[in-house]
Amino acid sequence: MDVFVGQEHQNESTELAVLGGIILSPEQYHEVVQVGLTGKDFYVANHEVIFNALEDLIFSGKPVDIVSIEEHLTKNGTSFFYEVLAPSEKGYDDLVKRRITNIRLTIVE
């Protein structure tokens, strides 16, 4: 069986547990990054986006909750979603809204 590089250790449940732990106890973020975890380490793209949003919120001293995460992603949609579709392309706003909805569901999960 062929294994794709970078997929040997993927575990969606573990990624969700890390994100959930940070949302419930934002101080845990510092422990997570001490072991070298970054947004790029997440296999699931939405998990990377959530982690990066959490990081931004924590460093800016803002609350870390579902409302703050959603507001942050909405205000900073271009920086988080640019790789999916260029902001100048037709349908960009709808794509961002759909992705934020998917991310909201992930956070609730």
Side-chain angles (χ1 to χ4, degrees):
M1 173 170 82
D2 291 329
V3 177
F4 296 101
V5 175
Q7 292 184 350
E8 307 89 19
H9 303 291
Q10 70 182 5
N11 188 316
E12 192 170 340
S13 297
T14 301
E15 291 183 6
L16 286 171
V18 169
L19 296 172
I22 294 171
I23 291 169
L24 293 174
S25 299
E27 64 276 1
Q28 297 300 317
Y29 165 80
H30 300 291
E31 292 184 31
V32 169
V33 294
Q34 278 185 339
V35 296
L37 187 70
T38 70
K40 296 284 183 198
D41 293 319
F42 288 88
Y43 175 74
V44 178
N46 281 349
H47 295 174
E48 178 182 353
V49 170
I50 293 167
F51 183 85
N52 291 337
L54 291 171
E55 185 172 63
D56 288 350
L57 290 169
I58 289 167
F59 280 124
S60 65
K62 295 180 180 173
V64 177
D65 56 45
I66 190 167
V67 174
S68 298
I69 295 167
E70 184 177 343
E71 285 177 0
H72 184 73
L73 292 174
T74 301
K75 288 178 186 174
N76 299 290
T78 299
S79 62
F80 287 107
F81 305 117
Y82 186 77
E83 76 282 358
V84 179
L85 185 69
S88 61
E89 291 186 40
K90 184 178 178 181
Y92 177 78
D93 289 336
D94 289 336
L95 178 66
V96 169
K97 287 176 187 173
R98 283 196 312 271
R99 184 120 185 238
I100 289 174
T101 298
N102 288 338
I103 287 171
R104 183 186 306 127
L105 294 172
T106 299
I107 293 168
V108 170
E109 184 180 335

